[in-house]
Amino acid sequence: MSNLFAARLVGALFIISTGAYMTASHIISTLFSAPDFILYLYPNRNLLTVAALLEFVNSAAVVAIATVIFPIIKPLSQQIALTYVSFRIIEAVMLLIGALALFSLIAISKEMVTAIAPTVDYLSVMADVLKQQRYVSFQLGMIPLALCGFMLCVTFYQHRLVPRLLSALGLVGYLLLLLKVSADFFAINIGGGLLYIPGALFELLLPLWLFFKGFHLSEPPQTH
């Protein structure tokens, strides 16, 4: 696999991952925004199913990114290459758990349509629990992403695989992501969604760079 082809494949997978995640997130946040959100899920089950499938696509894409980038990073640091793959698999598993919760919420929403009064309260509690479980699964998935992303950008920076300014943006982005997720676990609001911006810019600019320039490698990586 040539350097430029591998780089473009990584870039395409980043775009697929980001696009799938953002589309699914928009659909889910729209349906979950109402206080009685559970009542709207079953009537919108097809839309929610699409969101769940997009989360599956996102999970597959993040694992594929790590798989393609592994032989590029391995000659530079086998430990970081293995860590990146392992942590992205953990991220994908946590995101899949959250995606599966959507199907359970659809089933609960269906039951709410015909539920008798005493059962409604029980189903509402179950829905709230599953919604919270999705949130926790997502947060737990972001921790390994932030850690392995930071290590990857350190490697990028040290070996100049991409421009150092771009690597530095990634370092800041993943560090802020880790800070944001850690603060959220303790219900501490620092910066709101602004802390996601540097990381989002990095994952937007990196694919563009890879499409046109590829990775700057002094020697071609060994592939088997």
Side-chain angles (χ1 to χ4, degrees):
M1 185 184 295
S2 70
N3 165 38
L4 187 57
F5 178 78
R8 286 175 174 173
L9 183 55
V10 171
L13 289 168
F14 263 104
I15 291 173
I16 291 170
S17 173
T18 301
Y21 165 73
M22 292 183 66
T23 304
S25 179
H26 175 72
I27 293 171
I28 294 166
S29 62
T30 300
L31 293 175
F32 280 23
S33 59
D36 52 350
F37 72 96
I38 192 62
L39 298 176
Y40 299 97
L41 300 188
Y42 183 68
N44 293 281
R45 59 191 178 279
N46 292 335
L47 191 59
L48 197 58
T49 298
V50 169
L53 294 176
L54 286 172
E55 291 197 338
F56 275 85
V57 170
N58 178 34
S59 298
V62 300
V63 174
I65 288 169
T67 302
V68 176
I69 212 170
F70 178 83
I72 296 172
I73 303 300
K74 183 181 177 182
L76 307 175
S77 174
Q78 182 173 346
Q79 182 177 3
I80 289 181
L82 288 171
T83 300
Y84 189 74
V85 172
S86 301
F87 278 25
R88 297 233 73 173
I89 290 174
I90 295 172
E91 175 198 353
V93 170
M94 300 312 301
L95 294 177
L96 286 175
I97 291 173
L100 290 173
L102 293 177
F103 293 107
S104 297
L105 285 166
I106 291 173
I108 292 174
S109 180
K110 181 180 179 181
E111 292 297 322
M112 288 282 286
V113 176
T114 57
I116 58 176
T119 311
V120 168
D121 290 338
Y122 171 72
L123 292 173
S124 296
V125 171
M126 285 184 61
D128 288 335
V129 169
L130 278 172
K131 183 180 178 182
Q132 181 63 20
Q133 178 255 310
R134 259 190 58 82
Y135 171 76
V136 172
S137 295
F138 172 79
Q139 295 293 85
L140 290 175
M142 292 302 98
I143 292 175
L145 168 61
L147 292 173
C148 73
F150 185 86
M151 289 186 287
L152 182 69
C153 287
V154 169
T155 305
F156 282 174
Y157 189 90
Q158 289 177 335
H159 298 278
R160 299 178 182 269
L161 296 184
V162 297
R164 282 190 160 177
L165 186 61
L166 183 57
S167 300
L169 177 63
L171 288 170
V172 173
Y174 287 119
L175 184 61
L176 291 178
L177 174 62
L178 182 61
L179 179 63
K180 172 75 169 120
V181 171
S182 301
D184 286 348
F185 271 117
F186 296 96
I188 301 173
N189 184 12
I190 50 172
L194 294 176
L195 296 186
Y196 293 127
I197 293 177
L201 282 175
F202 171 76
E203 295 197 352
L204 174 65
L205 295 175
L206 177 64
L208 295 177
W209 178 267
L210 294 179
F211 271 119
F212 293 104
K213 297 293 186 178
F215 292 109
H216 181 266
L217 300 171
S218 55
E219 296 180 1
Q222 299 297 318
T223 57
H224 302 281

